[in-house]
Amino acid sequence: MSQFILPYFVVQGNGQKQPIASMPGIYRFSIDKLLEDIDPVVAQGLDKILLFGLPREKDELGTEAFADDGIVQQAVKVIKDHFPQLIVMTDVCLCAYTTQGHCGVMTNDKCQMSNDGVTIDSEATLEALARIAVSHARAGAAYVAPSAMMRGQVRAIRKALDDNSYQQVKIMAYSAKFASSFYGPFREAMNCSPAFGDRRGYQLDPRDSQAALERIRIEIDEGADMVMVKPALAYLDIVFQAKQLFNKPVAAYNVSGEYVLLHGQPTLIKEAIIAIQRAGADYIITYHAKEFI
Ligand code: PBG
């Protein structure tokens, strides 16, 4: 079993392998091209991928995120047909699917700016996240990975999965997800920058390690099978503490901005990955994964 998890960006269409300007060496693939790319890495021993989908169209409620023929749902089905052993993990969020580019739903009367960001309708968002998770499970995902930082997201998803007889589907919770500038290149890749405001209203304050550890504890209580710290390199103290304090596998997400900093410098990449391992991460989500399997 590999410690590495490779993220993939998947788009609609055929024959697409679109270079991402902000992330050299990384592409958005249509499903057919994605299969071609996965084939050799699976042969080398990669056993886990994390899928992000770019919808054909965005709308206010992010409906393509939970459509059974949505891009991620289609991709999971085809990937599982071709690589039945591969553990497919799916990002569960709304920001790539909503026109406002936030990780949650805003109803008109609640769509107000607050000082530190925006106000999100948490009830509608939890309902949407649960629907997304169930649709991914139906397609064949082994893990769903809620990344919206909505309070109660793990509980809502666990309940929806259980109610729909997906008890075996696990949750990798983005529990300690900081409001980070290291996500910049990813937002260009996914076309998911907020149309207004920022994500500080729901992502964690980089100065507040206690809040991060508390959120991890809460999401484990709610039913997370694996917890994540994100970004990785700038937050190794949190990875270390999460590993010491809790009895759950910890994943560290070596994010897009960290990828770009080290891209093309194999010795630096190796040393950085060793640092993440030394901090205690059980799993490492990284765009460099192909270099380590
Ligand atoms: C969506 C999401 C983001 C990332 C993963 N899921 C962006 C964000 O929260 O703004 C970032 C990943 C990366 O930078 O590699 N909620």
Side-chain angles (χ1 to χ4, degrees):
M1 215 180 60
S2 170
Q3 183 182 30
F4 293 95
I5 303 172
L6 178 60
Y8 271 113
F9 301 109
V10 53
V11 291
Q12 304 274 5
N14 266 304
Q16 300 292 315
K17 182 178 176 181
Q18 309 169 349
I20 298 167
S22 59
M23 297 179 71
I26 306 297
Y27 301 85
R28 298 184 202 94
F29 293 102
S30 54
I31 296 172
D32 55 333
K33 286 287 178 187
L34 186 65
L35 294 176
E36 281 176 24
D37 198 82
I38 292 176
D39 197 39
V41 276
V42 167
Q44 280 172 56
L46 180 85
D47 62 356
K48 287 184 266 333
I49 62 169
L50 174 61
L51 279 186
F52 293 93
L54 289 100
R56 213 184 303 266
E57 273 177 45
K58 301 178 190 251
D59 61 31
E60 241 168 80
L61 298 175
T63 31
E64 194 178 322
F66 42 80
D68 277 327
D69 62 349
I71 182 64
V72 170
Q73 293 82 352
Q74 289 179 42
V76 174
K77 274 183 220 145
V78 177
I79 291 168
K80 289 299 290 183
D81 280 349
H82 284 76
F83 307 102
Q85 307 303 331
L86 187 65
I87 297 172
V88 179
M89 307 169 121
T90 55
D91 188 76
V92 173
C93 199
L94 284 160
C95 56
Y97 298 86
T98 50
T99 34
Q100 31 80 358
H102 279 287
C103 302
V105 179
M106 299 175 191
T107 49
N108 282 337
D109 52 323
K110 287 178 185 153
C111 179
Q112 341 137 349
M113 304 270 287
S114 61
N115 280 343
D116 56 348
V118 288
T119 309
I120 281 179
D121 181 340
S122 62
E123 211 175 305
T125 300
L126 290 176
E127 221 177 278
L129 295 174
R131 281 182 77 175
I132 299 170
V134 170
S135 72
H136 290 178
R138 198 178 293 127
Y143 278 82
V144 291
S147 70
M149 287 305 282
M150 209 50 43
R151 286 176 188 277
Q153 60 180 5
V154 173
R155 186 185 311 283
I157 288 172
R158 185 70 268 161
K159 180 171 187 315
L161 290 173
D162 292 348
D163 288 351
N164 287 276
S165 305
Y166 295 114
Q167 281 88 354
Q168 81 287 2
V169 173
K170 295 186 172 160
I171 300 177
M172 173 168 74
Y174 285 70
S175 307
K177 179 174 179 179
F178 290 90
S180 170
S181 298
F182 282 104
Y183 308 149
F186 173 96
R187 290 184 187 169
E188 195 185 317
M190 287 283 288
N191 183 20
C192 72
S193 293
F196 53 85
D198 56 45
R199 303 214 209 284
R200 283 179 297 163
Y202 42 98
Q203 297 184 348
L204 300 169
D205 181 343
R207 292 163 295 198
D208 197 345
S209 46
Q210 280 318 308
L213 295 169
E214 177 62 9
R215 195 63 86 86
I216 291 174
R217 189 190 62 69
I218 290 171
E219 293 203 333
I220 290 174
D221 274 0
E222 290 184 14
D225 299 284
M226 190 187 292
V227 291
M228 190 201 296
V229 176
K230 178 184 169 195
L233 290 174
Y235 297 85
L236 291 180
D237 55 322
I238 308 294
V239 174
F240 180 79
Q241 292 186 76
K243 193 58 199 162
Q244 301 297 309
L245 290 170
F246 306 106
N247 195 19
K248 284 283 172 198
V250 175
Y253 196 146
N254 180 216
V255 300
S256 57
E258 298 178 326
Y259 168 81
V260 170
L261 277 181
L262 302 182
H263 174 69
Q265 305 181 81
T267 52
L268 298 189
I269 295 166
K270 190 145 191 245
E271 193 170 328
I273 295 291
I274 290 170
I276 302 173
Q277 291 169 325
R278 201 177 55 238
D282 297 289
Y283 298 99
I284 303 175
I285 304 162
T286 176
Y287 305 96
H288 302 294
K290 285 180 185 174
E291 299 154 54
F292 290 91
I293 46 168

